[in-house]
Amino acid sequence: MVLDHVGIAVADLEEGLLRWGRLGYVLEARGDVATQGVAVAMLKAPPDTQGAARLELLAPLAPDTPVGRFLEKRGEGLHHLAFRVQDIEAELQRLEAEGASLIDPRPRPGFGGHLVAFVHPKSFGGVLVELVAEHI
Ligand code: CO
């Protein structure tokens, strides 16, 4: 299990792209996840850093959405850590058996067509954790 990306809540996607561009991170893909009411920009690390984790900028499409409420309550900043897993169903079962609190007991489609599932921050010391299926 490796770190796939760091999720960052932003008020404005364009501003976020400029901000993180200063560290050499460039746009890999962008699009909306309508079911979550969020616009996503995935940034990849500079070219000489193969295998490095990406940055996922998340901007709400409306105030009454998960990321909209997050911004309202906490402001811009770190939102989640996402780990890439070979078998997302098996990992969810394993975590649940260990007593973790699953937000998504079943994987659901996430950005870029990968199945994803979120684990409650209370199970990871206040950090929201996302599992991302390695294969589409
Ligand atoms: Co994510």
Side-chain angles (χ1 to χ4, degrees), residues 8-20 27 29-32 38-43 56-61 76:
I8 301 169
V10 299
D12 184 281
L13 223 46
E14 303 305 327
E15 264 178 44
L17 285 167
L18 286 175
R19 190 179 297 146
W20 294 100
L27 185 65
R30 66 187 295 170
D32 296 347
V38 69
V40 177
M42 193 65 88
L43 280 61
E56 181 184 56
L57 306 183
L58 306 158
L61 294 170
E76 292 188 304

Side-chain angles (χ1 to χ4, degrees), residues 49-114:
T49 51
Q50 277 256 295
R54 297 172 296 167
L55 301 178
E56 181 184 56
L57 306 183
L58 306 158
L61 294 170
D64 188 26
T65 56
V67 176
R69 287 188 289 272
F70 179 93
L71 283 181
E72 172 78 29
K73 213 163 112 187
R74 316 249 307 252
E76 292 188 304
L78 293 178
H79 185 265
H80 65 272
L81 296 182
F83 296 89
R84 201 182 317 146
V85 297
Q86 295 264 354
D87 186 339
I88 193 167
E89 300 265 5
E91 285 298 336
L92 283 173
Q93 279 179 20
R94 189 179 65 77
L95 287 168
E96 190 167 39
E98 288 178 3
S101 181
L102 307 181
I103 294 173
D104 300 305
R106 308 285 307 160
R108 60 178 173 77
F111 182 65
H114 289 262

